[in-house]
Amino acid sequence: SQKIEQNSEALNIQEGKTATLTCNYTNYSPAYLQWYRQDPGRGPVFLLLIRENEKEKRKERLKVTFDTTLKQSLFHITASQPADSATYLCALPPNQAGTALIFGKGTTLSVSS
Amino acid sequence: NAGVMQNPRHLVRRRGQEARLRCSPMKGHSHVYWYRQLPEEGLKFMVYLQKENIIDESGMPKERFSAEFPKEGPSILRIQQVVRGDSAAYFCASSPGTAATNEKLFFGSGTQLSVL
């Protein structure tokens, strides 16, 4: 079955640095991949979608890459700020047998000032 | 334009009682998904519904759990005879289309269920 892996350990960086989060998947060739942000006690909020034929996508300080050969997506936050501290989830579409997005466990990012 | 509304935000039940969680999707959205999240765990899919129809309930336990999305009113996730293991955050999400059509999900703030 399809499997999604994200950095299980929290990522701690200093303000102004670039944060890089990793999402790896196996047993699957998704047509797209999505990234969400989740704050404590809140539901996830959609950030970006990248399709299999797109190598890179940008939105303000966010950049996502999608390497279908490595089966990996990288999520970058440049010039990070304390307000970027949150848990970031990657999500894949269902395989042919499914109907709903499948989420990774997420990586918790902490940006210190 | 209100987002996805879930209530209650917090629900405390004793073992054996029933829990009823409500979700009103965003206006214009006819697809509703329920997910469960445990501490240190990811979001786990439970059930996918469209108006008056359960499309996929493969992630929902066969016993004690049920879901509906009536023609009028919110979607309801019902847990009968709750046990301590049901304690979790339950999230509802809606979308105007399906995951197969690249649709992003809009999530509510969740219901935190605590079973004593």
Side-chain angles (χ1 to χ4, degrees):
Chain A
S1 62
Q2 43 189 152
K3 198 174 177 182
I4 305 175
E5 289 184 0
Q6 295 188 249
N7 308 52
S8 58
E9 295 182 8
L11 181 62
N12 300 303
I13 64 169
Q14 278 202 308
E15 183 175 10
K17 302 291 185 184
T18 296
T20 298
L21 285 65
T22 305
C23 176
N24 295 299
Y25 58 92
T26 56
N27 299 329
Y28 190 38
S29 296
Y32 65 86
L33 187 147
Q34 298 184 11
W35 283 90
Y36 289 76
R37 168 182 172 145
Q38 186 175 23
D39 291 284
R42 312 295 295 181
V45 175
F46 171 81
L47 295 175
L48 282 166
L49 180 152
I50 185 166
R51 293 183 173 81
E52 60 180 339
N53 60 349
E54 298 176 313
K55 294 294 184 189
E56 182 180 297
K57 199 100 176 255
R58 291 176 185 262
K59 179 182 175 183
E60 297 172 354
R61 294 183 296 110
L62 307 181
K63 184 179 86 171
V64 172
T65 62
F66 194 8
D67 189 325
T68 55
T69 301
L70 292 179
K71 294 188 181 295
Q72 179 182 80
S73 175
L74 298 179
F75 178 82
H76 306 273
I77 306 176
T78 58
S80 60
Q81 305 167 359
D84 296 327
S85 299
T87 296
Y88 292 86
L89 311 173
C90 71
L92 295 179
N95 59 20
Q96 290 177 340
T99 59
L101 282 181
I102 300 169
F103 286 83
K105 290 185 179 181
T107 298
T108 298
L109 172 66
S110 180
V111 181
S112 55
S113 55
Chain B
N1 184 16
V4 177
M5 304 300 291
Q6 286 190 252
N7 67 81
R9 283 299 310 276
H10 301 276
L11 182 61
V12 179
R13 285 288 177 264
R14 296 192 181 280
R15 280 179 297 169
Q17 290 184 320
E18 178 179 285
R20 192 173 294 202
L21 289 62
R22 295 175 184 78
C23 169
S24 295
M26 284 185 70
K27 189 176 180 180
H29 288 190
S30 59
H31 302 260
V32 168
Y33 303 82
W34 286 92
Y35 286 82
R36 177 163 66 177
Q37 188 173 44
L38 290 164
E40 309 304 318
E41 295 286 329
L43 285 163
K44 300 296 184 187
F45 166 72
M46 298 182 73
V47 61
Y48 162 42
L49 311 101
Q50 292 183 30
K51 279 289 186 182
E52 299 187 272
N53 289 305
I54 297 174
I55 307 301
D56 181 1
E57 55 183 353
S58 60
M60 203 154 67
K62 294 285 186 284
E63 297 180 352
R64 303 189 298 106
F65 286 72
S66 63
E68 62 179 14
F69 189 14
K71 187 176 180 181
E72 301 290 338
S75 175
I76 306 285
L77 179 67
R78 185 181 291 110
I79 311 173
Q80 296 177 303
Q81 298 173 343
V82 296
V83 300
R84 289 221 174 102
D86 296 333
S87 297
Y90 292 82
F91 289 97
C92 166
S94 72
S95 70
T98 67
T101 57
N102 303 347
E103 294 293 347
K104 62 186 179 185
L105 294 180
F106 295 81
F107 281 85
S109 292
T111 293
Q112 180 65 52
L113 173 65
S114 299
V115 180
L116 304 179

